[in-house]
Amino acid sequence: MTKTKGLGFLYIFCFLLLLSGKPPVDGLINSPAIVAGTAKVTGVIRANSTNQDSTMVTIVALHPISGENVQYKALVDQFGKFAIDVEVETNISLIGLYTNLNTNKLLFIKLESGGVANIDIAYNSDNDIENINVKPTMNQNDITKGFEVMDNMIRYRPNRALQPLYDKSADYFLNHIKTAISEKLAIVKKDTLLSRELKEVLVNDLQLWMYKINAFSYEEMMMLNYRNTSNDTSKKPDIQKIDRSYYRFLKNLRLNDIQYLNCFTFQDFQKEILQNDLIGLPEIGETDIATWLKSVKVILSDLVGFDNGLYYDILAANAYGKQLSEELRPLSEKQKKNIVSYWKTGEIAKILLRKNQKVVEANKFKSPAVVNDVSSVANDKVVEAILAKHQNKVVLIDLWATWCSPCLDAMQEFRDTKKDFKDRDVVFVYITNGSSPRKLWEEKIKGIGDQHYYLADSQWKYIMDKFDFEGIPSYLLYDKQGLLRNKFTAFPGSNEVKGMINSLL
């Protein structure tokens, strides 16, 4: 992923949110049910900071049906109080919560649809959490220690030499992943502080994440392994070709288990299945859902190990969610009729139609994605060519990649703020390189809008080196005269970026 400390944290945070702590008391989290609901998070943040009213609370809620995680933010008032309304998609929802007083201390909170969760956090003079009270009651260790356990699992590396995998069979690689999962899971299984319920969530999520990161990126992982074990960055080794039978590892995951609705990684895992060329699921488009599911089951059932169950309905919902969340493309009238015809007035239909309405509203302000070609431009002239195209405009350049979770999270967070600059002298430019698969990039930029550039690797490397960037997302901000006024790595927040841009208008 990324190299900078800040980006590493953001990446771990994205993964951390997949853990979603859960209580050992009521057991309701063991049987989540799909609900198009809302919940409220209220509380008090107590700190010694003189700028109490600048404290920001951030919540990330999991939306397993529409297939994304959504950030909610709120400033506390002069008394340290805050309140956030959150849309939920299950009767019991698990969220991640942190404040800007200590972004490294992440908390797991349970929400009940139609209910209120109250969080009272006291920070000491070093901005470490001194005391925390949460209602409804949860296991305190689940709330405060889950991150530490997951962080330990993420960082765990066995004390043995890295072995070549690129010259082995695909089956050997899959067995290698299973071994790595087992070794990492030993950490959470030995833990004596977390509740049994949270540990089960962590086990499920780690398995999803490991397969998503490794198994779905077979060729990339083999290339990385070759470079790391041979120290050769110039040649491309002969790698075994895989076919759809390779994905029989899906059967090991028991994807029909309703528990996966508690896992953040589930959404991204579903996207991998939906867009994988070898698995070959059709686009849902305007096909009626029953017909689409029939063709999907023919393709998928032998890989996942079952041909019926709620999983398939969730997969269909995720297929629509991919259109809504990734492309920001509203449902057609035919699609809406298909949804109502299949799910009637059920909760999945409510969730998708609710999400569609938000996309319709957002599209009133979104600019279409424009692809620009600078393939013939010299490495040291690329930025100059971009600025020349947008003279007398403030230009914000975003260096990103389709695989970079912090990059995508930043775009999602800034999406609403971009509306404030519609019809003003501001241009948003997004550049990436060959590390982003071209087809996937073409899909994602539909939902981003604005100006896009797909650079050659040499052009990308020149820009990264010239501006001393070590990771992404990274940003360049130019004024109307084409002068660089700011550069930074890691998204600092919508309000801060908005202030930077406004100062140049």
Side-chain angles (χ1 to χ4, degrees), residues 369-375 386 389-390 429-430 438 441 450-455:
V370 177
V371 176
N372 301 275
D373 183 13
V374 289
S375 57
I386 292 173
K389 179 177 169 55
H390 307 294
V429 173
Y430 301 86
R438 184 93 190 195
W441 172 74
D450 298 300
Q451 304 291 319
H452 293 266
Y453 294 80
Y454 194 90
L455 303 187

Side-chain angles (χ1 to χ4, degrees), residues 13 87 89 141 150 158 206 252 255 310 336 373 396 398 431 471 496:
F13 174 59
E87 290 187 348
E89 297 185 354
N141 289 315
M150 184 51 66
L206 182 71
N252 299 331
L255 291 172
L310 183 59
K336 287 188 283 187
D373 183 13
L396 179 66
D398 181 339
I431 65 177
E496 187 166 342

Side-chain angles (χ1 to χ4, degrees), residues 16-235:
L16 174 67
L17 295 175
L18 24 126
L19 316 187
S20 314
K22 66 182 181 182
V25 179
D26 55 27
L28 292 175
I29 199 64
N30 290 327
S31 301
I34 299 171
V35 171
T38 59
K40 183 181 286 290
V41 183
T42 64
V44 179
I45 306 300
R46 309 175 193 278
N48 294 323
S49 171
T50 55
N51 297 318
Q52 173 78 0
D53 57 358
S54 66
T55 300
M56 178 77 72
V57 178
T58 299
I59 286 173
V60 180
L62 311 182
H63 285 184
I65 306 306
S66 59
E68 62 177 341
N69 60 300
V70 179
Q71 284 195 11
Y72 296 85
K73 292 177 177 286
L75 281 169
V76 306
D77 65 17
Q78 59 181 323
F79 305 107
K81 295 181 179 181
F82 71 93
I84 303 176
D85 292 317
V86 179
E87 290 187 348
V88 296
E89 297 185 354
T90 51
N91 59 336
I92 303 293
S93 296
L94 301 162
I95 64 171
L97 182 148
Y98 70 98
T99 76
N100 59 345
L101 295 173
N102 186 342
T103 56
N104 289 295
K105 194 60 179 179
L106 309 170
L107 307 172
F108 300 119
I109 309 297
K110 180 187 75 172
L111 299 186
E112 297 178 358
S113 180
V116 179
N118 187 266
I119 296 94
D120 189 330
I121 306 174
Y123 290 87
N124 62 23
S125 57
D126 294 322
N127 282 338
D128 292 324
I129 292 180
E130 194 170 66
N131 188 53
I132 179 169
N133 289 304
V134 175
K135 293 180 181 179
T137 303
M138 291 177 62
N139 181 310
Q140 285 284 312
N141 289 315
D142 285 0
I143 297 169
T144 60
K145 302 295 184 183
F147 169 78
E148 296 174 19
V149 173
M150 184 51 66
D151 190 38
N152 289 339
M153 286 200 291
I154 293 172
R155 296 177 183 276
Y156 175 76
R157 297 293 183 273
N159 187 23
R160 57 176 178 264
L162 184 66
Q163 65 167 307
L165 299 171
Y166 64 89
D167 57 353
K168 307 293 194 306
S169 69
D171 283 344
Y172 188 93
F173 177 55
L174 290 175
N175 285 328
H176 177 79
I177 295 173
K178 288 178 68 175
T179 299
I181 290 173
S182 178
E183 292 173 336
K184 290 176 180 291
L185 289 181
I187 295 172
V188 69
K189 290 178 179 179
K190 291 177 182 178
D191 184 272
T192 59
L193 297 176
L194 301 180
S195 70
R196 175 182 57 83
E197 289 83 357
L198 177 58
K199 291 167 76 170
E200 289 174 356
V201 172
L202 302 190
V203 167
N204 284 341
D205 244 319
L206 182 71
Q207 291 182 108
L208 285 180
W209 184 76
M210 285 290 288
Y211 278 116
K212 174 191 176 297
I213 295 297
N214 295 283
F216 277 102
S217 304
Y218 177 74
E219 185 171 346
E220 291 86 348
M221 294 304 295
M222 293 302 97
M223 285 298 301
L224 181 62
N225 177 260
Y226 173 74
R227 291 169 181 168
N228 288 340
T229 56
S230 69
N231 294 318
D232 183 353
T233 59
S234 60
K235 290 193 295 186

